[in-house]
Amino acid sequence: MKYQLRCKKCGSVIPDFATWFAHDQQCSCGSAYAEVEYPDAVPFTFSPVHTNSYQDYYFDILPLLDRQNIVSFGEGLIAIERWHNLEEYARKHGIDCQVFVYRNDCNAGSGSFKDISAALAASVLKENGIKDYCLASTGNAGVAFATYLAKAGIRFTEFAPNCIDPETVEAIRRVGQPVVISKGGYGDAKREAAEFHKNNHVLISGGNTDPLRIESKRLLAFECLRQIGRLPSVYMQAVAGGTSPLALEKGIRDLNVLSASQHSEYSLPRMLLVQQDECDPMVTAWEKATAAGFPEGWHLQYEAKHDIKTRIGILTAANPGNYPLVAPLVRRSGGTFLRVSEADLPAYGKEMLASQNTLMGPASMVCYAGFFQAVEKGLIHSADTVLLNTGEGSSRSSWFRSLVI
Ligand SMILES: [Zn+2]
């Protein structure tokens, strides 16, 4: 047996994705959170790369049975660059660290964070004969799934909030997939997608704990080992839903089981997760928990934000439903949540343009700005290896480009 799923709630085994999909992506106990396991996997060794598809390279540790089903544009095996300007900034504060950036804008599918998830989802859906899929998304996920599922011959319906960028809508329609734009925000789009799923029996993306998303994104841990020879000691990203931190944790657990290296034990990097002040429900909840000394049940205490004014469409998760899973992980890692000023982001864009001759999109800039703050707050130490997992390029955010250039 190559793989199986195991329910995170009751521990039951679900034999394969065919069964998982047939039961509406739920365990018999009703939980929608299951993880993929590889009972018979042999230790993974890093061979030279002769492919541009991470699914091809990591095929032995992905829930796919036939390479013929791989849907890829070239993603996942992207550059982890060392950014000396950030190291220089830390040095000015007396900190001697190394800083790397995992550039999701280099994914060939749609140039974002979400290409890696969408690629594996497209392949597994194709392998299991799924013809129709839907998702509510604030932008990047919609474009990525539309693009990859179109290549797999699967119809995909995007449910978007009213604040979606016009470039994003155009990118989805360009690949021939339909977009339903809600009159309301992300919460309304999610409700409409759920109704569509129910009424039309169309499979819907399983959200932030979807095993397809976790399983693809977990490979970041493997990519760190392949490209820089070690795991980071500090991990940073802008957070909306929070799939990636969960995926990284799973990846590190898998590394400890699947890695052929003699390394004793890989441990969790300190997670510094960043939100912009115009939509920061996780930071707010975390600050309250910190002030109260993390009392019993602290991780269940969070509130949705109302009337959010952020212009960063892909970071508008006003109701942080994943906080009860993500926040304890951040705490266990010794990390924290950071808030950056959205109004300051264009200035960081100018700095990036000047020092790196590149400009990323606004969600990436949230992470980037967070690095400067982390240095100033003493959250990064000498000898740290810092990894910034940046989400997107600036091509679908002309409003942001116009504020920088
Ligand atoms: Zn269960």
Side-chain angles (χ1 to χ4, degrees):
M1 166 207 329
K2 185 176 178 189
Y3 78 91
Q4 63 188 19
L5 293 106
R6 188 180 295 276
C7 175
K8 288 284 278 182
K9 193 173 172 198
C10 75
S12 294
V13 168
I14 299 120
D16 49 30
F17 272 102
T19 312
W20 179 245
F21 294 146
H23 290 88
D24 200 19
Q25 302 176 96
Q26 283 184 359
C27 172
S28 51
C29 79
S31 165
Y33 188 9
E35 265 183 4
V36 180
E37 300 175 338
Y38 305 87
D40 302 329
V42 295
F44 186 83
T45 47
F46 292 92
S47 54
V49 175
H50 301 296
T51 173
N52 67 357
S53 159
Y54 78 95
Q55 297 177 83
D56 191 18
Y57 184 75
Y58 289 110
F59 182 76
D60 292 341
I61 51 169
L62 284 173
L64 267 176
L65 302 179
D66 186 347
R67 273 181 208 271
Q68 299 286 328
N69 293 319
I70 291 176
V71 181
S72 173
F73 286 96
E75 62 288 310
L77 302 172
I78 51 176
I80 297 181
E81 294 178 354
R82 191 165 165 187
W83 278 26
H84 293 282
N85 66 316
L86 299 181
E87 294 179 4
E88 194 57 44
Y89 184 78
R91 212 168 292 126
K92 281 184 194 148
H93 288 73
I95 301 158
D96 190 13
C97 61
Q98 290 193 358
V99 185
F100 296 88
V101 181
Y102 184 65
R103 292 192 56 179
N104 279 283
D105 59 307
C106 298
N107 283 313
S110 67
S112 93
F113 229 29
K114 308 289 185 182
D115 283 345
I116 298 166
S117 307
L120 180 65
S123 306
V124 172
L125 294 171
K126 183 180 171 191
E127 185 161 276
N128 288 280
I130 306 294
K131 294 277 173 245
D132 235 316
Y133 198 70
C134 71
L135 164 76
S137 129
T138 52
N140 279 346
V143 180
F145 276 80
T147 305
Y148 282 89
L149 294 188
K151 186 162 188 175
I154 298 168
R155 183 185 152 94
F156 167 77
T157 309
E158 152 81 2
F159 289 83
N162 55 6
C163 62
I164 192 166
D165 296 318
E167 289 110 326
T168 300
V169 175
E170 195 196 311
I172 295 171
R173 292 190 172 144
R174 204 182 303 132
V175 293
Q177 305 278 28
V179 184
V180 179
I181 302 174
S182 172
K183 287 194 170 65
Y186 185 39
D188 294 301
K190 277 208 278 203
R191 248 191 316 281
E192 287 164 29
E195 279 167 25
F196 180 79
H197 151 72
K198 206 170 149 213
N199 297 338
N200 300 283
H201 307 286
V202 168
L203 211 57
I204 188 167
S205 166
N208 295 312
T209 57
D210 189 323
L212 291 172
R213 294 198 188 189
I214 298 275
E215 215 48 21
S216 50
K217 288 188 165 189
R218 90 196 205 285
L219 295 174
L220 175 57
F222 289 73
E223 277 298 285
C224 288
L225 280 194
R226 183 178 75 82
Q227 294 197 45
I228 59 178
R230 61 187 185 278
L231 292 185
S233 57
V234 175
Y235 170 80
M236 299 193 69
Q237 69 156 95
V239 63
T243 306
S244 296
L246 300 179
L248 183 63
E249 189 273 337
K250 207 258 177 186
I252 293 171
R253 259 188 292 134
D254 283 356
L255 264 180
N256 284 323
V257 175
L258 297 172
S259 166
S261 142
Q262 295 304 305
H263 196 288
S264 51
E265 176 102 7
Y266 295 106
S267 55
L268 215 51
R270 302 198 302 284
M271 293 185 169
L272 305 180
L273 305 185
V274 194
Q275 295 192 310
Q276 76 279 24
D277 55 359
E278 300 289 358
C279 186
D280 56 1
M282 288 202 192
V283 190
T284 304
W286 177 263
E287 283 170 347
K288 281 187 184 161
T290 307
F294 294 98
E296 179 85 32
W298 66 272
H299 61 294
L300 303 173
Q301 306 297 317
Y302 65 88
E303 283 172 29
K305 295 265 164 172
H306 299 288
D307 303 324
I308 51 167
K309 301 277 191 299
T310 184
R311 286 191 74 182
I312 310 174
I314 55 178
L315 295 179
T316 54
N319 188 4
N322 216 15
Y323 179 78
L325 292 176
V326 176
L329 185 59
V330 169
R331 190 171 181 221
R332 181 153 69 82
S333 80
T336 189
F337 288 83
L338 295 173
R339 174 190 293 108
V340 297
S341 157
E342 185 167 328
D344 289 347
L345 297 181
Y348 287 98
K350 288 183 201 304
E351 189 282 334
M352 184 187 280
L353 203 54
S355 62
Q356 294 291 332
N357 195 27
T358 190
L359 178 61
M360 292 182 180
S364 294
M365 298 313 300
V366 167
C367 175
Y368 193 73
F371 174 84
F372 291 82
Q373 189 182 121
V375 167
E376 286 153 20
K377 285 188 167 171
L379 297 169
I380 291 170
H381 313 141
S382 281
D384 266 334
T385 299
V386 184
L387 180 74
L388 277 64
N389 187 7
T390 54
E392 30 48 300
S394 63
S395 63
R396 286 192 298 275
S397 301
S398 53
W399 67 269
F400 183 69
R401 277 202 314 277
S402 70
L403 292 174
V404 176
I405 300 170

